């Protein structure tokens, strides 16, 4: 490439502590760098200061006009993380005001995480949410016209609150933007100077929450970034020809586009390092396949580059938000130089991160007041960090580092060096998990890649991570601390356009697909030409399609060769998708595909930039004067004295350095381990590899001793394996209950069946107790019969896969997974009849069956099984996914066994089991001796009988807890029985106890012998076959309420109210007019109980990982219109902490069919605690289109006929309140009135808070009334711990008046039949009742 005069590119990367700049001369490849302190109040000040500093090194630099400034910045990311973005108003479809409040109803984390999860505030607050009248169907048809006049009236109400930005996101706008455009026009008429983001422009794709939050984030940061970029442009005026912003996907954007769509560069910072690695390594060396590692002070980012192209994903996580925006597939873990190490008291395990010391106070070795041991302190103690950093400008306080690590060593009971090495090993293991996530878990062998390490701390850990991942050589580029800036300087302009397509492959034509691509191509060409300044002839275009098997919900993006598509037709899409699905998930299916989205990406041509190369060394041995000093380095507890500290700036191409040693430079330090060498290539890259001596003789791995750290590493690997199973299930299964609502639970167990990681306790032990046949490598077992495995699965819809894992014919582990199938046959669609009297009405029963023997499937048997279900294609797909998940986990356990060896593998397992046992034992020891009892009820059984009681007494006996359910009611003649797995119950108790004290613990079966559980045969929790079980969900959920009631009486951390625990079910099925069968199984959510830490989330689920199915998905694939999806004001019980509000959904049926309902809490109320009030009841009302009649439905009903146009008004229950309501801050109550979470009447009635006409607190009336309430309460009897809203007799007496449904009759009033009547326990129960 010829240049008339020197042309310079300036790359700028703004970090939290430093701003890195790299100046690149295009014709020679010369570079200059600068590192200046960041200026968080205005990042542009650091940019200008760094630019001025770097230009001082250039002749006539003060007068130099740069060709381009390419800027990677965290200004948008910081606005989100620091919650300093715009005040955003949100326009939603009428009936959808709570779309951000409910967040798809998911509580992150495992079982009991809801007790400690602090729910974040929505970025667009409810008081600034406006409901727009008008409705579209999923195909884009207008159902109800947009009412501009009414909309402007509602919009006018928020003018006084002065929003900074407005988001418009309406239901089904991905299919037709007409209403969003009309709303935008109205907004611009009323509020002409406020920026507006429209979801059909920002993300025209299916899924309403994801599209809304993505567009809200765009609005949230837009004013901030527009002001910032405007200021920066002004400051750079006359100093550069162009200013461009690095996008999250590694391309560049013009300022104009960056201001309009800041969501496209929300992860600009991490993208810079990957683009730098591509530019410096993949584009200029033989190493095209890379795994990048960018380790900074707080976190580590990893990514995969295949054949010189970074992998892209179409969602991005910022903090606790997940937005749909294209970005380099960077995975972030909380492991950085500042990650804090700690030892939780209850488990005595070493934990490192994600909490960070930050830049202030920073690690102890910084000498700025930090006292807690960090990763940097461990590196300093072991000699891996030079005494002075940043070219000698920053001196480390080694003594302070030693004090911090020594305290941790004391807590662990080990020596100083062992503690320091433990910190690094665990931190490395966390990063290793991330490296595997982007490689092994994506179907790639890391041995086919090279690891590229950069960032301030990456080169210190590079060698160790190379040993773990096996990606050689490990490459440390020049100036690794400013590689992001180099990537910024050398990357390309880019833009993409995407649209929802949503067509089944077999029902579309290649012409339609090509036309879709053509429309996007025209759009992207215009944007690149008009907004980016790239002529059409100089653009490169890539075509992509998001595909999935019909029935799946997660997409697989594939690159499409447009010429091959035109020539071969749609079979081209089938071939490339099948190959990708097999690579990712190990299998394919013989079902049709669905094209979900089409995408076109445009880039400018890559410039032929010069590269500065190093001189060739005369000898591989560097001159001794390049060793700045020597240092003592510690490996495996052994000190290695006199290790050289090499000055990287003097090294030449061909120099080879042998470990142990350090290579120092201004912005980073590279550590070379014993037995490894570092070769310098002609670009200045450090290439780390094993020495020939080590390859021949081998050097023992220092981790091969059973110590605390090795056990922690093993525990982390188990956690990662389980996460991998979950991810595969979510992405590949067919049943909505699994793929969206994540009703699947996995287990990895040791050979004897004890669970090592999982959630519902081990299924394996009960299986082993009953299986009498052979167990061989390649065997696969299937069951769905609760009576075959002592309740390990609790109804026929849960299909359980078990696989033994062998190494050299030795059984080393079991992997297992169950998932809820949409249908397994039986008397009703969905296979969950409320009125069943035996298991024979509940679908196919599969006793423990070997469905594959030594890897060979019994296809005939599987065909018999599938023949007995209503949607066999889904069951087939789900079984393949369950098996694939178990297979993946089996591979991981095999890798662990090979990595650690037999003795360490089983030693680590034994220690993990014992660790959990010790932790639970310590918690039990602190509990008082007095027994605690609790009971709760299911309101009815769907047959007019109830309430049905579950009762438990918890008694401490020495070091053990005994749980006695003997006072529970007998098994029901209907299907509400729940066969309680003792192993599962013990796991529930253990997880509840552990999660409060150590959120990172991996629960296992080690503590099971500390719990004794008595459940008499014949009770509701131990029914006798063939008692029906299909409506068991209510007692499963109520069990958690009982557990909270028991533990809460003994430890304040567990004292929560009652609330949403049952997971109410809704089923709808029938034939469409065209003859196609449809069948929906859906799980509802509600109000989470108020907790010691705060309010219960509204409309959420306390079951781990479960989330709501997107309504747009439901409307697209089922004959439904979901007219309302919000929460019910005042339904959460009042308290100091309010219970979560109930969920309200209005389902309009578009085809005749039948519905079934599983529900409860229609008569009883979710109890409040410590003075808190109970939550509101549930109710279900069917509105008949024929006459407008309103029918109150029972809580458990099958086969309810519905006609086209009928509406089901579905309301779940609220969570109980915690603490005395009139102690809640009055201003919070007033705010919740403005947010429509509490009504004015509810504020006065429930909290004693009165409001003025303007919505502010009437302080005088409020204080007077609250004083009266306090006096009244002091004169009354002491408040009980649990407030159920009245005794049962009172609730039943008022039932018809308050609920519209007659009360049930008591179980003692019915005649019991069957095997239960022969049990001695039942006879005693009957005597007591008589």
């Amino acid at each position: 490439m010829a240049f008339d005069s020197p042309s310079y590119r300036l790359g700028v990367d703004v970090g939290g502590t430093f701003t890195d700049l790299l100046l690149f001369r295009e014709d020679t490849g010369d570079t200059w760098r600068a590192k200046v302190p960041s200026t968080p109040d205005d990042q542009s000040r650091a940019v200008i200061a760094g630019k001025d500093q770097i230009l001082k090194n250039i002749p006539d630099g003060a007068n130099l006009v740069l060709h381009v400034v390419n800027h990677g910045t965290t200004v948008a990311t910081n606005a989100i993380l620091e919650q300093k973005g715009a005040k955003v108003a949100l326009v939603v479809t009428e009936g959808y005001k709570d779309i951000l409040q409910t967040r798809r109803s998911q509580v992150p984390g495992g079982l009991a995480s809801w007790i400690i999860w602090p729910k974040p505030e929505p970025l667009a607050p409810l008081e600034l949410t406006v409901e727009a009248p008008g409705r579209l169907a999923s195909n884009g048809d207008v159902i109800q016209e947009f009412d501009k006049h009414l909309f402007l009236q509602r919009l006018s109400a928020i003018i006084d609150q002065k929003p900074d930005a407005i988001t418009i996101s309406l239901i089904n706008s991905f299919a037709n933007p007409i209403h969003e455009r009309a709303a935008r026009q109205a907004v611009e008429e009323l509020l002409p100077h406020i920026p507006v983001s429209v979801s059909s422009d920002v993300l025209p794709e299916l899924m309403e929450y994801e599209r809304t939050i993505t567009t809200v984030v765009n609005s949230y940061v837009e004013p901030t970034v527009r002001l910032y970029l405007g200021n920066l442009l002004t400051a750079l005026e006359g100093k550069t020809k162009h200013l461009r912003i690095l996008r999250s996907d590694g391309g560049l954007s013009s300022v104009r586009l960056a201001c309009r769509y800041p969501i496209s560069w929300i992860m600009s910072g991490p993208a810079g390092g990957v683009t730098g690695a591509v530019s410096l390594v993949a584009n200029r060396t033989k190493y095209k396949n890379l795994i990048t590692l960018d380790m900074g002070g707080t976190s580590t980012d990893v990514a995969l580059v295949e054949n010189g192209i970074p992998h892209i994903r179409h969602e991005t996580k910022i903090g606790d938000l997940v937005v749909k925006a294209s970005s380099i597939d960077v995975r972030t873990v909380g492991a950085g130089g500042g990650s804090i190490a700690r030892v939780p008291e209850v488990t005595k395990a070493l934990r490192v991160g994600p909490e960070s010391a930050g830049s202030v106070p920073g690690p102890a070795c910084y000498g700025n007041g930090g006292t807690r041991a960090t990763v940097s302190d461990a590196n300093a103690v072991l000699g891996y960090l030079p005494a002075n950093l940043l070219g000698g400008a920053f001196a480390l306080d080694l003594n302070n580092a030693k004090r911090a690590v020594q305290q941790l060593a004391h807590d662990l009971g080990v020596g100083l060096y062992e503690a320091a090495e433990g910190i690094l090993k665990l931190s490395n293991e966390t990063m290793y998990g991330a490296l595997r996530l982007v490689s092994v878990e994506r179907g790639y062998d890391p041995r086919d890649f090279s690891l590229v390490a950069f960032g301030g701390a990456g080169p210190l850990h590079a060698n160790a991570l190379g040993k773990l991942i096996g990606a050689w050589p490990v490459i440390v580029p020049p100036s690794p601390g400013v590689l992001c800036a180099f990537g910024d300087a050398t990357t390309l302009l880019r833009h993409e356009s995407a649209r929802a397509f949503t067509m089944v492959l077999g029902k579309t034509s290649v012409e339609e697909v090509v036309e879709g691509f053509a429309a996007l191509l025209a759009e992207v060409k215009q944007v690149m030409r008009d907004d980016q300044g790239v002529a059409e002839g100089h653009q490169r275009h890539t075509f992509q399609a998001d595909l999935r098997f019909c029935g799946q919900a997660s997409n697989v993006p594939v690159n499409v060769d447009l010429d091959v598509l035109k020539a071969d037709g749609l079979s081209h899409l089938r071939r490339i998708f099948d190959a990708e699905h097999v690579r990712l998930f190990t299998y394919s299916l013989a079902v049709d595909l669905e094209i979900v989205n089409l995408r076109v990406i445009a880039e400018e041509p890559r410039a032929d930039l010069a590269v500065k190369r190093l001189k060739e060394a005369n000898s591989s041995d560097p001159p001794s004067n390049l060793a700045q000093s020597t240092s003592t380095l510690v490996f495996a507890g052994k000190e290695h004295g006199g290790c050289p500290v090499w000055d990287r700036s003097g090294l030449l191409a061909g120099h080879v350095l042998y470990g142990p040693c350090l290579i120092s430079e201004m912005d980073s330090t590279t550590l070379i381990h014993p037995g490894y060498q570092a070769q310098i290539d002609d670009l200045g890259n450090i290439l780390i590899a094993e020495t020939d001596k080590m390859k021949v003789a081998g050097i023992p791995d220092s981790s091969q001793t059973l110590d605390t750290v090795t056990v922690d590493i093993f525990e982390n690997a188990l956690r990662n394996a389980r996460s991998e199973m979950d991810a595969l299930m979510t992405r590949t299964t067919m049943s909505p209950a699994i793929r969206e609502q994540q009703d699947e639970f996995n287990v990895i167990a040791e050979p004897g069946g004890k669970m090592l990681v999982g959630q519902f306790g081990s299924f394996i032990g009960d299986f082993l107790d009953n299986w009498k046949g052979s167990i061989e490598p390649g065997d696969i077992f299937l069951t769905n019969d609760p009576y075959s495995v002592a309740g390990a699965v609790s109804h026929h819809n849960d299909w359980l896969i078990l696989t033994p894992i062998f190494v050299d014919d030795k059984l080393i582990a079991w992997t297992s997974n169950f998932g809820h199938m949409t249908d397994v046959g039986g008397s009703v669609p969905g296979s969950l009849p409320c009125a069943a009297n035996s298991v024979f009405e509940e679908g196919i029963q599969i006793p423990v069956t070997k469905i594959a023997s030594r890897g060979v499937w019994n296809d005939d048997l599987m065909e018999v099984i599938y023949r007995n279900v209503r949607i066999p294609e889904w069951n087939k797909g789900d079984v393949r996914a369950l098996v694939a998940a178990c297979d993946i986990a089996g591979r991981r356990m095999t890798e662990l066994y090979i990595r650690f060896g037999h003795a360490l593998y089983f030693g680590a397992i034994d220690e993990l089991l014992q660790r959990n046992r010790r932790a639970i034992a310590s918690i039990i020891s602190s509990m008082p001796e007095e027994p605690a009892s609790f009971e709760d009820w299911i309101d009815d059984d769907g047959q007019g009988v109830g309430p049905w009681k579950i009762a438990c007494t918890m008694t401490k006996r020495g070091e053990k807890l005994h749980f006695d359910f003997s006072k529970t009611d007998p098994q029901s003649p209907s299907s509400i029985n729940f066969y309680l797995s003792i192993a599962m119950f013990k796991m529930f108790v253990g997880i509840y106890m552990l999660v409060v004290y150590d959120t990172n613990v991996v629960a296992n079966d080690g503590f099971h012998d500390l719990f004794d559980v008595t459940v008499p045969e014949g009770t509701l929790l131990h029914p006798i076959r063939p008692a029906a079980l299909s409506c068991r969900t209510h007692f499963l959920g109520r069990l958690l309420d009982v557990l909270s009631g028991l533990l809460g009486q003994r430890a304040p951390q567990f004292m929560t109210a009652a609330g949403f625990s049952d997971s109410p079910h809704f089923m709808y099925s029938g034939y469409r007019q065209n003859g196609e069968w449809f069948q929906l199984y859906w799980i509802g959510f509600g109000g989470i109980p108020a907790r010691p830490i705060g309010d219960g989330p509204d409309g959420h689920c306390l079951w781990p990982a479960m989330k709501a199915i997107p309504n747009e998905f439901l409307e697209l694939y089922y004959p439904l219109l979901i007219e309302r999806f919000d929460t019910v004001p005042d339904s959460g019980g009042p308290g100091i902490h309010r219970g979560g509000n109930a969920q309200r959904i209005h389902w309009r049926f578009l085809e005749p069919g039948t519905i079934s309902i599983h529900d409860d809490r229609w008569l009883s109320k979710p109890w409040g605690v410590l003075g808190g009030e109970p939550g509101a009841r549930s109710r279900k009302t069917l509105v008949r289109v024929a006459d407008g009649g309103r029918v109150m439905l029972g809580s458990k009903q099958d086969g309810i006929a519905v006609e086209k146009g009928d509406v089901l008004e579905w309301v779940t229950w609220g969570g109980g309140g915690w603490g005395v309501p009139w102690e809640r801050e009055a201003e919070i109550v007033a705010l919740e009135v403005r947010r429509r979470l509490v009504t004015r009447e509810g504020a006065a009635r429930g909290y004693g808070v009165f409001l003025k006409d303007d919505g502010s607190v009437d302080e005088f009336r409020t204080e007077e009334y609250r004083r009266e309430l306090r006096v009244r309460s002091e004169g009354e009897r002491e408040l009980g711990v649990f407030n159920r809203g009245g005794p049962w007799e009172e609730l039943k007496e008022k039932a018809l008046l308050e609920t519209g449904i007659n009360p049930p009759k008591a179980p003692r009033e019915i005649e019991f039949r069957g095997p239960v009547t022969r049990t001695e326990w039942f006879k005693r129960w009957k005597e007591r009742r008589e």
Side-chain angles (χ1 to χ4, degrees), residues 11 26 81 136 224 228 235 247 334 441 476 522 534 553 869 1080 1107 1114 1311:
E26 296 182 345
L81 296 178
L136 298 173
T224 301
Y228 169 69
R247 294 161 48 100
E441 296 180 25
V476 180
V534 181
V869 305
L1080 171 66
K1107 57 184 176 182
L1114 293 172
E1311 183 178 2

Side-chain angles (χ1 to χ4, degrees), residues 157-308:
I158 68 167
I159 291 178
D160 290 343
Q161 298 186 60
K162 299 179 179 179
D164 302 317
I166 294 179
T167 289
I168 301 172
S169 183
L170 305 180
I171 293 296
N172 293 324
S173 62
F174 74 93
N176 186 350
I178 184 172
H179 282 180
E180 288 196 344
R181 291 174 181 172
R184 178 174 194 154
Q185 183 180 9
V187 168
E188 290 173 344
E189 289 177 11
L190 188 65
L191 301 166
H193 303 298
I194 296 181
V196 179
S197 294
V198 178
S199 79
S200 52
D201 290 339
V202 174
L203 184 69
E205 296 180 9
L206 182 75
M207 301 205 325
E208 69 278 4
Y209 170 74
E210 285 76 4
R211 192 173 63 255
T212 300
I213 188 60
T214 299
T215 313
V216 166
V217 169
N218 197 74
S219 291
Y220 187 74
V221 301
E222 183 178 350
T224 301
V225 302
R226 190 178 293 275
L227 177 63
Y228 169 69
L229 293 179
N231 291 342
L232 185 57
L233 273 175
T234 299
L236 290 172
E237 188 172 357
K239 301 296 184 182
T240 184
K241 296 177 182 178
H242 305 285
L243 173 62
R244 295 168 180 165
I245 306 304
L246 184 69
R247 294 161 48 100
S248 303
D249 60 10
L252 292 169
S253 173
S254 67
V255 171
R256 180 179 174 184
L257 279 179
C259 288
R260 193 188 313 166
Y261 300 116
I263 192 68
S264 68
W265 49 281
I266 208 81
M267 295 298 284
S268 170
V274 182
T275 58
V278 169
S279 180
L280 193 60
V281 180
N283 292 343
R284 291 178 168 83
T285 74
K286 65 181 181 181
Y287 305 109
K288 307 299 181 185
N289 291 341
L290 311 174
I291 303 174
T292 65
L293 175 96
D294 180 0
M295 184 179 181
T298 301
S299 61
T300 295
D301 300 322
V302 302
L304 185 135
V305 177
E306 183 180 15
N307 197 25

Side-chain angles (χ1 to χ4, degrees), residues 914-951:
Q914 286 301 312
R915 175 188 287 179
N916 271 15
R917 189 186 189 282
R918 290 192 297 269
I920 292 295
S922 71
I923 296 172
I924 293 174
S925 68
S926 66
M927 298 175 70
E929 297 286 343
E930 312 86 68
S933 296
F934 197 79
E935 55 189 26
D936 209 345
W937 293 265
I938 295 298
D939 291 351
D940 73 313
D941 60 0
Q943 309 304 307
V945 180
W948 295 86
K949 183 175 70 173
I950 176 175

Side-chain angles (χ1 to χ4, degrees), residues 627-842:
Q628 299 172 324
S629 60
T630 60
S631 179
T632 297
L633 306 180
V634 179
F635 294 91
K638 178 182 178 182
E639 294 183 343
H640 296 254
C643 299
V645 181
W646 298 102
D647 179 5
R648 185 172 186 178
S649 64
L651 297 173
L652 300 178
H655 278 152
V656 179
L657 316 173
Y658 293 93
C661 68
L662 297 176
I663 305 172
S664 179
E665 55 192 306
M666 187 271 286
D667 55 1
S668 191
T669 300
T670 302
L671 171 67
I672 310 300
H673 286 228
Y676 289 82
Q677 66 183 35
Q679 183 174 352
I680 312 301
D681 72 5
D682 63 347
L683 293 174
N685 293 308
I686 299 172
L687 309 181
I688 304 173
E690 294 174 298
T691 63
D692 292 337
K693 179 180 178 181
M694 183 173 178
K695 291 177 183 176
V696 174
I699 291 181
D701 189 334
S702 62
S703 68
Q704 299 301 300
T705 54
L706 185 61
D707 52 24
T708 298
V709 174
T710 302
V711 175
D712 293 334
I713 290 171
F714 198 94
E715 180 185 52
N716 202 48
L718 290 172
R719 181 187 296 110
N720 290 339
R722 183 194 168 194
S723 297
E724 196 172 350
M725 294 178 78
D726 286 334
L728 187 146
M729 292 296 293
T730 301
R731 296 189 64 189
T732 61
T733 47
M734 303 290 193
S735 293
I738 303 176
R739 70 179 187 225
E740 293 288 345
Q741 305 200 288
Q742 298 179 356
D743 189 356
E744 58 87 18
F745 299 96
N746 49 50
V747 162
I748 300 174
E750 51 83 50
K754 290 182 179 179
M755 188 185 84
L756 302 178
V757 62
Q759 191 159 265
F760 267 36
S762 179
F763 320 126
I764 316 298
D766 294 316
F767 157 73
L768 291 174
D769 289 342
N770 289 277
W771 180 254
K772 305 305 179 185
S774 63
I775 298 173
E776 300 175 288
D779 287 353
I780 303 173
F781 299 88
L782 168 67
T783 185
N784 75 336
D785 180 16
Y787 291 107
S788 291
V789 285
V793 292
S794 53
H795 60 181
H796 294 162
N797 291 73
D798 289 340
W799 285 21
L800 171 62
I801 290 289
L802 307 99
T803 62
I805 308 303
F806 287 83
V807 174
D808 297 330
D809 290 327
K810 179 178 179 59
L811 181 66
I812 65 159
W814 285 88
T815 61
S816 179
N817 210 0
F818 78 73
H820 183 108
M821 303 291 157
T822 294
D823 190 275
V824 296
S827 61
V828 301
S831 315
L832 298 171
C834 300
N837 298 121
S838 74
V839 292
F840 303 111
E841 301 163 69
E842 299 175 341

Side-chain angles (χ1 to χ4, degrees), residues 14-65:
V14 177
T17 305
F18 293 104
T19 294
D20 299 321
L21 302 95
L22 186 135
L23 185 67
F24 183 87
R25 178 167 167 168
E26 296 182 345
D27 59 336
T28 66
D30 286 320
T31 60
W32 297 262
R33 56 184 170 166
K35 182 182 286 283
V36 298
S38 294
T39 50
D41 60 314
D42 180 1
Q43 292 187 6
S44 64
R45 291 195 295 110
V47 175
I48 299 304
K51 173 190 72 71
D52 293 343
Q53 178 179 317
I54 212 168
L55 289 181
K56 291 178 181 178
N57 299 312
I58 307 299
D60 199 25
N63 298 317
L64 179 68
V65 177

Side-chain angles (χ1 to χ4, degrees), residues 355-369:
E355 184 184 0
S356 174
S359 57
V360 178
C365 62
Y366 281 14
N368 291 330

